[in-house]
Amino acid sequence: MGVPQLLDKHLDKHFDTHGNWQGMSLGWVSIVWLSYILSKADHCLSHVQPWVEKRLETLSICTGLSMRALDYSDDRLQAVLRYLSKDTAWQKFEQELGGQL
């Protein structure tokens, strides 16, 4: 479905991220976080970083990206929620995602 790439594309257009955002992109942070939620049936922000830390090698191999557990800190995840809560931007992302299905 290309969700991380699509989120990143819309990030540049519609989601105004903080200028100091470094490390994993918004799209990939969202996908790994979603993987955590689905595997643990838990949406608590504070549990994601330790989960990622224990699976860094597996996640890096699966995504083909170099990862740091710090990319999944609770304040980084809170920022993801803030960016993705903008209705207009979300609707534009969702329209393009739906058009690819």
Side-chain angles (χ1 to χ4, degrees):
M1 291 174 53
V3 174
Q5 295 82 5
L6 195 56
L7 277 171
D8 291 338
K9 175 183 170 186
H10 282 270
L11 170 66
D12 293 338
K13 290 182 182 178
H14 309 291
F15 300 117
D16 299 322
T17 57
H18 189 277
N20 291 335
W21 184 287
Q22 295 179 359
M24 295 298 294
S25 70
L26 174 78
W28 280 108
V29 169
S30 301
I31 292 302
V32 172
W33 186 14
L34 183 58
S35 299
Y36 167 81
I37 291 169
L38 292 172
S39 70
K40 301 301 267 182
D42 178 11
H43 66 279
C44 293
L45 304 180
S46 62
H47 300 158
V48 179
Q49 186 175 355
W51 180 83
V52 168
E53 197 163 23
K54 292 178 184 174
R55 294 160 180 81
L56 274 175
E57 185 176 358
T58 301
L59 291 168
S60 293
I61 291 169
C62 289
T63 62
L65 302 169
S66 177
M67 288 194 189
R68 308 173 307 156
L70 186 59
D71 291 325
Y72 299 91
S73 65
D74 54 350
D75 36 329
R76 175 64 65 98
L77 299 175
Q78 181 184 17
V80 168
L81 288 176
R82 191 173 52 253
Y83 299 142
L84 298 180
S85 69
K86 297 179 181 180
D87 289 340
T88 304
W90 183 256
Q91 288 170 352
K92 291 176 182 178
F93 161 77
E94 203 170 38
Q95 284 175 337
E96 190 169 345
L97 178 64
Q100 292 181 11
L101 299 178

